[in-house]
Amino acid sequence: MSQHLYHNPVKVVSSSLFGTASEALYARIQKIKRKDVECQAFFRKVLKSSLFQVLMISTITSNAFFMVLGTDYSIRYKLFRLFEISEILFVSIYACEFFMKVYVEPIKYWRDGYNLLDVVIILIILIPYTLRKIKGRHYKFLHIADGIQSLRILKLISYSRGIRTLIIAVGQTVYTVASVLTLLFVLMYIFAILGFCLFGMPDKGDLNNWGNLAAAFFTLFSLATVDGWTDLQEQLDQRKFTVSRTFTIIFILLASFIFLNMFVGVMIMHTEDSIKKFQRELMVERHMTLIEEKQLILRRQQDEVNRLMNTQKSGGKSFPELVEEFKKTLRHTDPMVLDDFGTSLPFIDVYFSTLDNQDTTINKLQELYYEIVNVLCLMLEDLPPRKKSSHSSEFMI
């Protein structure tokens, strides 16, 4: 006991020392500055470009199509040379992709699970060539090495975010699904022993389906999937087992309607969570892309204004003339960044509501003006007529 207590701290210290040493080594490697930064940036841009991704997806799809054609021996015999050339082309493209990724990220490359999957696929591709060189063309397990070449299509996973999302959802359900399957196994274990004792009697029992524990498990699996359960029940009815229908109904209700549906429900819930997370990531990426484009436009506009100011200072044209020339170069398709408060949506809503209030006020003022004019007209009509002084003036003359 004392030895055990004495040795435990040593293990903890050694593991912590190993972790500290690995972190220090990684930090030291990170501090190393590469001299080929421009070349690294170029290959990184190539790997992230949509053209390269389309090329890789087309290559993987074409490789899968050629493997399908290769299953027909007549086509394979007629196009033997084409198959050899295409195989060399596909392997070369996969190898170039591997070396480019390792060159861009020599350390982070090995931390990505999908990159490790690509490495495994490349090793699988090399297995048939290695066996032909070592064992010859007539090696008996060579067809197995050729058959596992179908795993090449798994390279599509690293280029499809939707498939990666589903894989993440499946990975998240491992523990829950394992619990459900464990409960299902316990249920099948109980009913297998019970079915063996009830229906596996040597004299008049159903030995084909319930004669031993392995046969009972297989029969219960058929009942759980509700595949041919009526035929199994009919065989039990022919032997006149009175409790067979109760046994079958209870097991189908528990296994098929509860546990299997629970399994499907768990998968659906985790898949929905992964899809929602994927949509949030897409929205964040789009927002970041818009921010980058916005900063690029602002930087370009600032550079253009600085250029105009420098031209004015150097004794050229006046600033209004430069602005007029700059306006002539603008097009209606040029993007603009509007960060002013007056271009925000809340301000526009408030402004529209203010305009509506102004229109209402103007309408009321017009109605008041009309009423005032009407009152003035009535007052003019009620006034007495003026006396004409023309006759008096004539008499005076």
Side-chain angles (χ1 to χ4, degrees):
M1 183 68 180
S2 61
Q3 292 178 356
H4 179 70
L5 293 174
Y6 176 77
H7 287 292
N8 275 339
V10 177
K11 292 181 180 179
V12 173
V13 173
S14 62
S15 62
S16 62
L17 288 176
F18 177 76
T20 306
S22 61
E23 291 178 358
L25 180 62
Y26 179 73
R28 182 173 296 180
I29 293 173
Q30 288 291 108
K31 291 181 180 179
I32 298 175
K33 295 183 179 180
R34 298 181 59 167
K35 298 181 179 180
D36 54 345
V37 178
E38 294 182 358
C39 185
Q40 182 187 13
F42 172 75
F43 280 107
R44 182 182 286 109
K45 185 177 180 181
V46 170
L47 289 173
K48 291 183 178 180
S49 63
S50 58
L51 181 62
F52 180 79
Q53 294 181 1
V54 170
L55 174 63
M56 290 304 303
I57 293 173
S58 302
T59 302
I60 298 168
T61 307
S62 302
N63 193 1
F65 178 72
F66 272 91
M67 292 185 68
V68 172
L69 292 178
T71 56
D72 192 338
Y73 288 99
S74 61
I75 297 176
R76 191 171 183 176
Y77 178 76
K78 293 178 182 178
L79 303 176
F80 176 74
R81 187 62 61 185
L82 178 61
F83 276 98
E84 283 190 344
I85 296 172
S86 64
E87 183 68 17
I88 295 173
L89 180 62
F90 294 145
V91 175
S92 301
I93 293 175
Y94 296 155
C96 290
E97 179 203 14
F98 168 73
F99 288 120
M100 288 171 63
K101 288 184 177 180
V102 173
Y103 174 76
V104 172
E105 298 290 347
I107 298 176
K108 292 182 179 179
Y109 178 83
W110 306 100
R111 294 186 172 185
D112 192 352
Y114 297 108
N115 292 335
L116 296 179
L117 177 63
D118 293 340
V119 173
V120 172
I121 292 173
I122 291 174
L123 294 177
I124 290 173
I125 292 173
L126 298 176
I127 289 175
Y129 301 99
T130 306
L131 292 179
R132 287 189 179 93
K133 291 293 183 181
I134 298 175
K135 299 293 184 178
R137 293 182 175 273
H138 301 286
Y139 185 58
K140 60 180 180 178
F141 296 114
L142 189 61
H143 63 282
I144 299 177
D146 292 332
I148 61 176
Q149 298 302 312
S150 59
L151 296 175
R152 298 182 186 185
I153 199 172
L154 294 179
K155 286 182 68 65
L156 282 174
I157 295 175
S158 59
Y159 292 98
S160 176
R161 297 188 62 179
I163 297 176
R164 293 202 300 267
T165 303
L166 292 178
I167 291 176
I168 293 172
V170 173
Q172 292 175 350
T173 60
V174 169
Y175 298 104
T176 309
V177 169
S179 301
V180 175
L181 292 179
T182 302
L183 289 175
L184 181 61
F185 175 78
V186 171
L187 179 69
M188 292 179 66
Y189 172 78
I190 295 172
F191 275 82
I193 294 179
L194 183 61
F196 171 76
C197 296
L198 293 176
F199 314 126
M201 293 175 289
D203 50 355
K204 59 176 182 178
D206 188 0
L207 300 180
N208 293 327
N209 297 320
W210 305 95
N212 52 50
L213 197 61
F217 264 103
F218 187 78
T219 304
L220 290 175
F221 182 79
S222 300
L223 292 177
T225 57
V226 199
D227 182 19
W229 71 274
T230 55
D231 297 333
L232 296 172
Q233 182 60 40
E234 185 178 356
Q235 294 178 11
L236 294 176
D237 291 337
Q238 290 176 358
R239 291 174 174 81
K240 297 181 180 179
F241 289 110
T242 56
V243 295
S244 62
R245 294 190 176 185
T246 305
F247 177 89
T248 303
I249 292 173
I250 292 175
F251 181 78
I252 290 176
L253 288 175
L254 292 176
S256 180
F257 290 93
I258 296 179
F259 285 97
L260 292 183
N261 289 329
M262 188 187 303
F263 175 82
V264 174
V266 168
M267 293 292 295
I268 291 174
M269 286 190 297
H270 286 279
T271 303
E272 288 181 352
D273 294 338
S274 299
I275 291 173
K276 291 179 180 178
K277 183 179 178 181
F278 174 67
Q279 291 176 350
R280 288 195 297 268
E281 291 177 354
L282 284 180
M283 292 179 64
V284 171
E285 289 182 0
R286 291 173 182 173
H287 182 66
M288 295 301 296
T289 304
L290 290 175
I291 291 176
E292 292 177 358
E293 292 179 355
K294 175 180 173 181
Q295 292 177 353
L296 181 62
I297 294 170
L298 290 174
R299 194 180 300 112
R300 187 170 63 247
Q301 293 176 353
Q302 186 67 32
D303 294 338
E304 188 68 23
V305 172
N306 291 333
R307 187 184 64 81
L308 293 175
M309 296 296 293
N310 293 329
T311 305
Q312 183 186 12
K313 290 179 181 179
S314 62
K317 299 179 180 180
S318 62
F319 187 75
E321 294 177 353
L322 295 175
V323 172
E324 291 297 330
E325 292 182 358
F326 177 71
K327 288 181 179 179
K328 294 178 182 179
T329 62
L330 295 177
R331 296 170 297 180
H332 68 281
T333 57
D334 291 337
M336 296 181 64
V337 178
L338 301 175
D339 284 336
D340 189 17
F341 174 74
T343 59
S344 61
L345 292 178
F347 176 81
I348 292 173
D349 293 335
V350 173
Y351 182 68
F352 282 162
S353 61
T354 304
L355 290 179
D356 294 336
N357 292 329
Q358 288 180 356
D359 293 337
T360 305
T361 305
I362 290 173
N363 292 328
K364 290 182 179 179
L365 288 174
Q366 286 179 351
E367 292 177 358
L368 291 174
Y369 292 153
Y370 293 151
E371 291 179 0
I372 292 172
V373 171
N374 189 19
V375 170
L376 291 175
C377 291
L378 294 175
M379 291 174 64
L380 289 174
E381 292 177 356
D382 293 337
L383 287 176
R386 293 181 180 180
K387 295 181 179 180
K388 297 181 181 180
S389 60
S390 59
H391 299 285
S392 63
S393 61
E394 290 179 357
F395 286 114
M396 289 294 293
I397 292 174

